[in-house]
Amino acid sequence: MKYSRNAVYTRVVNAIKAEYPNANCTSRYVPKPASFPACYIHEIDNFRLPQYTQLDFQDVQWESVFEIQIVSTKSGTAATEAYNIFALAEAAFSNLYYRRFQQTTSDDGSKFTIIGRYRRRIGGGDVMPENT
């Protein structure tokens, strides 16, 4: 199976839902999610690197960047729940050879949010690794 935005999203969501079946996962940003924990997963960039474009302008590599935002409002343990979900997403992205390059957190007292960004260089013939 070739790489696609939907395939990456599905793998990460399935990893989260295996342990948190009530997690509200979406690929569209929702300012006020209907339920928590909420997970927003989307590809924020998919660009061609000029040094990897051939003379006939065929791309041999590009870079895919995904962002995940996890928001928890669980009373007393919001940070723990968010980090547990983040660890599941981290493992799923790692299995797809994405590496985290940025992470931030925020805590406003009523909700805890973790934002992580992952990137991977993809070649023209890459296929998705098997589920592990």
Side-chain angles (χ1 to χ4, degrees):
M1 170 190 223
K2 288 199 169 211
Y3 269 88
S4 75
R5 170 184 306 124
N6 292 339
V8 173
Y9 172 82
T10 300
R11 286 271 191 99
V12 175
V13 169
N14 288 343
I16 292 169
K17 292 272 193 179
E19 296 212 23
Y20 288 88
N22 295 328
N24 179 12
C25 297
T26 180
S27 62
R28 303 180 98 188
Y29 179 72
V30 179
K32 294 184 180 183
S35 64
F36 294 94
C39 307
Y40 170 49
I41 306 161
H42 67 291
E43 189 172 37
I44 59 173
D45 207 352
N46 186 339
F47 63 94
R48 297 176 182 104
L49 303 164
Q51 66 267 34
Y52 295 111
T53 301
Q54 297 174 341
L55 291 176
D56 60 359
F57 298 105
Q58 297 298 311
D59 299 321
V60 292
Q61 289 190 13
W62 65 94
E63 191 156 288
S64 171
V65 181
F66 274 84
E67 178 179 272
I68 182 167
Q69 295 182 24
I70 299 167
V71 182
S72 177
T73 58
K74 192 170 186 179
S75 181
T77 59
T80 301
E81 182 179 59
Y83 275 113
N84 288 343
I85 294 170
F86 191 75
L88 296 170
E90 175 99 9
F93 276 117
S94 182
N95 286 340
L96 295 168
Y97 308 121
Y98 280 81
R99 297 294 175 248
R100 180 170 25 101
F101 68 93
Q102 185 179 28
Q103 177 183 336
T104 59
T105 60
S106 72
D107 185 357
D108 69 4
S110 63
K111 67 181 177 184
F112 187 85
T113 305
I114 302 174
I115 301 171
R117 291 187 175 167
Y118 298 83
R119 75 172 135 216
R120 180 191 195 287
R121 187 162 296 155
I122 299 173
D126 273 348
V127 294
M128 299 261 310
E130 296 296 320
N131 277 328
T132 56

